[in-house]
Amino acid sequence: MAQPNTKAWSVEDYFLFEEQETTKYEYLDGLVYALHASDVEAMAGASEAHIIITGNIFAQLHSALDGQTCRAYQSDMRVQATDSTFFYPDVVAVCGERNFRDENRTTLTNPTVVFEVLSPSTENYDRGKKFIAYRQCSSLKTYILVSQDKQRIEHYERQADDSWVLREYSKASSQTEILIRSLGVTLTFSAIYANIE
């Protein structure tokens, strides 16, 4: 994750800036973070493992949700977590009516499930500031962190009292299926890591 631009941006300035850029940027409480840019300050492009894992997750979700009212999106769908936070999750899914901030449907405001594939440059951000912001999004029921350098998945699920319960899965675990109750689907651990050397 690139260091944020230290200039304070308004939400309106952020959206105007993004319209003119080919690179994706995330916005967190007035600061702009570059993603996958070519400039020196920005994070390098995603690794092969990151790309494969993200594709594997999306493929399973897309297949499992076929014919249902839920829909999955890949990393180009911007998500509004709060009034002052906008992210590009690796995979996001929503059930029922899809609400968008804009007519072009580029910013989803009611995510149900978010997947983040961890990389060395984003892990602390995904676990920390990003998850704190996502927990304020009342529609979000599930937050899943997928490691790319070891076969390990952390599955956070919101409870009725607004607390979060963590379930962990690993290659050595006896659990090979990940039930995502908020979507009514089960993902296979081995399929998430398929074709990873």
Side-chain angles (χ1 to χ4, degrees):
M1 176 62 53
Q3 291 297 315
N5 185 317
T6 55
K7 168 192 166 188
W9 296 62
S10 69
V11 170
E12 294 74 19
D13 288 342
Y14 162 68
F15 274 93
L16 286 172
F17 177 70
E18 274 244 306
E19 285 175 13
Q20 301 166 19
E21 292 293 317
T22 56
T23 299
K24 293 183 291 187
Y25 291 83
E26 293 190 335
Y27 180 86
L28 177 62
D29 296 329
L31 297 179
V32 174
Y33 295 78
L35 297 177
H36 304 291
S38 59
D39 61 52
V40 176
E41 294 181 349
M43 182 175 76
S47 69
E48 180 191 33
H50 189 287
I51 293 166
I52 291 171
I53 292 168
T54 300
N56 290 344
I57 293 167
F58 178 77
Q60 281 196 81
L61 274 181
H62 183 70
S63 177
L65 297 176
D66 187 38
Q68 297 187 32
T69 60
C70 302
R71 188 166 293 173
Y73 301 96
Q74 295 184 60
S75 60
D76 285 331
M77 176 59 73
R78 182 172 43 218
V79 170
Q80 179 174 351
T82 71
D83 290 342
S84 62
T85 52
F86 299 87
F87 302 122
Y88 285 96
D90 291 311
V91 178
V92 61
V94 60
C95 280
E97 183 179 356
R98 297 177 308 281
N99 299 325
F100 295 92
R101 178 185 172 91
D102 55 326
E103 291 179 7
N104 294 330
R105 296 180 166 227
T106 61
T107 306
L108 181 71
T109 62
N110 64 328
T112 304
V113 177
V114 163
F115 290 83
E116 294 288 0
V117 178
L118 302 175
S119 59
S121 60
T122 66
E123 183 168 356
N124 290 339
Y125 177 63
D126 291 338
R127 291 181 183 284
K129 291 179 179 180
K130 188 178 277 191
F131 190 25
I132 289 169
Y134 271 129
R135 290 198 302 263
Q136 297 174 58
C137 181
S138 61
S139 68
L140 188 71
K141 306 301 180 195
T142 309
Y143 189 68
I144 299 177
L145 298 174
V146 181
S147 178
Q148 66 172 307
D149 58 356
K150 55 191 166 195
Q151 294 192 11
R152 183 167 180 263
I153 296 172
E154 297 167 52
H155 174 229
Y156 294 89
E157 191 171 46
R158 190 190 297 266
Q159 305 301 297
D161 65 357
D162 222 27
S163 63
W164 291 79
V165 169
L166 167 64
R167 288 181 183 83
E168 294 184 80
Y169 304 85
S170 68
K171 188 175 183 179
S173 171
S174 61
Q175 294 182 322
T176 59
E177 294 186 333
I178 301 160
L179 171 62
I180 304 177
R181 290 183 178 87
S182 54
L183 299 178
V185 301
T186 300
L187 303 186
T188 305
F189 184 91
S190 59
I192 290 174
Y193 285 102
N195 301 312
I196 298 297
E197 296 176 2

